[in-house]
Amino acid sequence: MKLYGSTTSPYVRRIRIVLASTEHAFLNLQIFSGEDRELLVSRNPTLKVPCLEDDGQMIFDSRIIYNYLADKLDHEGLSWEEENQLTLIDAANDSFVQLMLLKRSDFDISQDKMYFRLQNERIEAVLSALSEQLDAGGFSGWTYPEICLYTMIDWVLFRELHDMKDYPQLLEFHEQHHNRIEVTATDPRS
Ligand SMILES: N[C@@H](CCC(=O)N[C@@H](CS)C(=O)NCC(=O)O)C(=O)O
C-alpha cells in the first residue's frame, strides 16, 4: 500500500494516523511544483492529496480512502451522525485551505469581498457547531471523526489561520489528544 501526500496536509495526516499500525509506504510530495507535481498528475487528476495506491488501484480523497481502509482492515464503518461530523469538519477545513491558498497567491483576504466572507462565515458556523457537539459530549473517543477534528485544529494552529480563542472547547479537545504517539509521530512541525 502506498500513500501519496505531504507531511503538512491535515487530510493526509488523518490517513497516516489511521495507518499508524499498518505497513505502508508514505511518499512525502511537494505537490505544487517540480517532479513531485508531475508524479501527482500521473496518479491523481484531481491534483490533491491524499491518494492511496493499493492492489494496482488508485483511491482518491481522504473520506473515500477511509471507507476503503475500513473495509479492507475490518474497522467499523461510519454512522450517519459521524458522516455528518465529517461533512462539518471538511467544510471548515476546505474553507481554511482556500483562504491559505489565496493568501499565498497574494490576495488580501481581510478585504470585505463576497468570496472571503462566505469562507469566513462557513468557518465560524462550523466551529460553533463543533463546539456545541463537544459541549454535548460528542467527539469523546478516538476514532476517525476525532482524528479528523484533531488534525484540522492542529493544522489551523500550525498555520496560524485562526487563534481559536473563541472556541475553548476545541482548544481543550486539542490539548487532550496532542500527546498521543501517532499524533506526535505525524506532527507537521517536525
Ligand atoms: N476532499 C479532499 C481534500 C484534499 C485537499 O484539499 N488536500 C489539499 C492539501 S491540504 C490539496 O491537495 N490541495 C491542492 C490544491 O488545492 O490544489 C480530501 O479529503 O482528501
Side-chain angles (χ1 to χ4, degrees):
M1 214 174 334
K2 211 188 267 183
L3 179 67
Y4 297 80
S6 66
T7 52
T8 48
S9 163
Y11 296 99
V12 174
R13 192 177 182 193
R14 303 168 168 189
I15 302 299
R16 292 179 74 202
I17 292 176
V18 170
L19 285 176
S21 48
T22 303
E23 208 180 310
H24 69 283
F26 173 57
L27 274 79
N28 180 21
L29 307 177
Q30 302 298 322
I31 62 168
F32 292 119
S33 61
E35 278 176 18
D36 285 358
R37 186 154 182 90
E38 281 170 34
L39 177 64
L40 184 62
V41 172
S42 74
R43 294 292 188 279
N44 180 359
T46 73
L47 297 176
K48 292 188 182 188
V49 287
C51 51
L52 183 80
E53 192 172 346
D54 188 38
D55 284 338
Q57 199 176 8
M58 290 300 301
I59 312 288
F60 310 137
D61 197 287
S62 61
R63 199 155 173 169
I64 312 302
I65 294 171
Y66 178 77
N67 286 335
Y68 176 85
L69 291 173
D71 201 33
K72 185 176 172 107
L73 305 174
D74 279 331
H75 289 191
E76 209 159 307
L78 298 169
S79 66
W80 294 119
E81 192 187 341
E82 290 172 324
E83 293 280 8
N84 271 344
Q85 289 177 323
L86 288 188
T87 298
L88 290 176
I89 296 164
D90 283 359
N93 212 332
D94 286 345
S95 285
F96 275 124
V97 168
Q98 290 304 307
L99 291 175
M100 193 188 75
L101 292 177
L102 286 163
K103 229 156 79 173
R104 277 202 193 172
S105 308
D106 297 325
F107 282 88
D108 174 7
I109 60 168
S110 65
Q111 282 182 323
D112 184 20
K113 296 281 183 200
M114 182 186 177
Y115 189 79
F116 307 153
R117 200 172 59 244
L118 295 181
Q119 308 314 311
N120 284 318
E121 280 180 3
R122 177 175 303 108
I123 285 169
E124 302 306 333
V126 167
L127 297 185
S128 296
L130 293 171
S131 298
E132 279 168 25
Q133 291 198 17
L134 281 163
D135 279 340
F139 296 103
S140 58
W142 183 245
T143 59
Y144 194 57
E146 286 88 2
I147 291 169
C148 295
L149 180 58
Y150 180 87
T151 59
M152 175 177 72
I153 298 170
D154 192 54
W155 179 75
V156 167
L157 296 173
F158 164 58
R159 292 294 195 199
E160 299 179 346
L161 298 171
H162 198 303
D163 65 11
M164 302 264 177
K165 71 175 177 350
D166 293 331
Y167 304 100
Q169 304 92 328
L170 297 178
L171 290 172
E172 200 180 302
F173 172 86
H174 178 262
E175 177 75 23
Q176 196 186 325
H177 295 290
H178 85 273
N179 283 327
R180 287 181 179 277
I181 181 106
E182 66 276 36
V183 163
T184 54
T186 55
D187 190 337
R189 301 158 187 84
S190 51

